[in-house]
């Protein structure tokens, strides 16, 4: 039954892309749609019911570094459409699907609307940089957790994973992180396209100032 559901969803998505490909007018639109049709991570995301291909970036990083453990609290900033939250819900057991493991907490925040997800609390249409959002976030967290709001909600020993675009400001950000974390690594998962400037900083073992 599930296999049929996944295959049907993937087929529908592929047909939608083909229709868009026929309707697209610009060369850039044609190239983007052709890339989507050929992208193995796009295909896998439909087959495994992830909201977008970025889920595989987090899966790859977490498989290697084991950041997401049952009982952990996770804040997903810029969460829409919710693929990283899907991964986090499963790995920290925030939906309580494993009764033998401690339940975690997942909170997603974005200026955009985020479709509901069992096991996650979403603050859609919220600005993560303003105090009212911080107050709502702290109400939802049983324990403070990790995000770039580190001074407000990160516990000593916590971790931060953030995306950045490679450029002149990246070194400055790395230096700032190095002052408050014991370890800062630069990562580029295999699921990140080779021609993309995106990278990730993994900062571990937060040192409370």
């Amino acid at each position: 039954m599930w296999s049929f559901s996944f295959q049907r969803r993937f087929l529908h998505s592929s047909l939608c892309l083909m229709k868009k490909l026929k309707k697209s007018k610009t060369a850039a639109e044609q190239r983007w749609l052709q890339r989507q049709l050929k992208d193995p991570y796009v295909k896998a995301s439909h087959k495994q019911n992830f909201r977008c291909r970025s889920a595989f970036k987090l899966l790859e990083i977490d498989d290697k570094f084991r950041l997401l453990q049952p009982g952990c609290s996770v804040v997903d900033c810029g969460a829409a459409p919710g693929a990283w939250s899907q991964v986090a819900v499963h790995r920290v057991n925030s939906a309580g699907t494993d009764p033998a493991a401690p339940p975690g907490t997942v909170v997603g925040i974005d200026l955009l609307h985020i479709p509901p997800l069992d096991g996650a609390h979403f603050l859609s249409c919220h600005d993560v940089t303003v105090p009212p959002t911080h107050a709502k976030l702290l109400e939802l967290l049983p324990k403070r957790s990790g995000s770039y709001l580190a001074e407000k909600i990160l516990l000593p020993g916590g971790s931060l994973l953030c995306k950045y675009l490679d450029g002149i400001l990246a070194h400055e950000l790395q230096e700032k992180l190095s002052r408050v974390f014991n370890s800062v690594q630069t990562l580029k998962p295999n699921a990140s396209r080779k021609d993309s400037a995106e990278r990730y900083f993994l900062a571990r073992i937060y040192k409370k100032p």
Side-chain angles (χ1 to χ4, degrees):
M1 179 178 178
W2 283 110
S3 178
F4 171 77
S5 174
F6 289 157
Q7 290 170 4
R8 184 179 180 183
R9 184 177 293 108
F10 172 53
L11 176 61
H12 173 72
S13 300
S14 297
L15 289 173
C16 287
L17 284 172
M18 290 298 293
K19 288 178 181 178
K20 289 181 180 179
L21 185 60
K22 292 179 181 179
K23 292 180 180 179
S24 61
K25 297 179 180 179
T26 69
E29 289 175 334
Q30 291 277 342
R31 287 194 298 270
W32 183 85
L33 287 167
Q34 289 283 4
R35 184 176 67 174
Q36 292 295 99
L37 286 168
K38 296 177 181 178
D39 190 322
Y41 291 104
V42 172
K43 295 177 182 179
S45 67
H46 296 312
K47 186 176 181 179
Q48 298 184 39
N49 201 28
F50 286 123
R51 295 182 177 183
C52 63
R53 69 188 301 284
S54 63
F56 294 99
K57 302 172 188 177
L58 181 56
L59 286 168
E60 181 183 336
I61 292 171
D62 192 54
D63 284 345
K64 183 175 181 179
F65 296 101
R66 303 294 180 186
L67 301 171
L68 303 174
Q69 299 292 329
C72 286
S73 294
V74 176
V75 179
D76 185 1
C77 298
W84 275 35
S85 292
Q86 285 181 289
V87 174
V89 163
H90 175 69
R91 299 218 166 177
V92 307
N93 194 39
S94 62
T97 52
D98 183 356
T105 302
V106 175
V107 181
I109 308 170
D110 206 297
L111 290 169
L112 302 175
H113 173 71
I114 317 168
L117 174 65
D118 186 31
H121 304 280
F122 287 146
L123 297 177
S124 295
C125 306
H126 280 69
D127 184 349
V128 74
T129 66
V130 299
T133 300
H134 303 168
K136 290 184 179 180
L137 175 59
L138 292 172
E139 290 176 4
L140 292 170
L141 292 173
K143 294 181 180 180
R144 288 169 296 170
S145 131
S147 76
Y148 72 82
L149 303 171
E151 293 184 3
K152 293 183 179 293
I153 62 173
L154 187 59
L155 288 172
S159 298
L160 164 70
L161 178 63
C162 68
K163 182 172 77 172
Y164 70 95
L165 297 180
D166 197 20
I168 58 175
L169 297 179
H171 182 66
E172 180 180 344
L173 175 59
Q174 186 173 21
E175 286 185 340
K176 288 182 178 180
L177 291 173
S178 296
R179 288 197 287 268
V180 291
F181 288 90
N182 278 0
S183 170
V184 179
Q185 295 173 260
T186 299
L187 308 174
K188 187 171 177 65
N190 290 328
S192 180
R193 292 188 172 104
K194 292 182 179 180
D195 59 352
S196 171
E198 73 171 10
R199 303 285 190 279
Y200 292 84
F201 280 133
L202 172 58
R204 291 186 291 176
I205 312 178
Y206 176 62
K207 301 177 290 186
K208 195 74 175 177

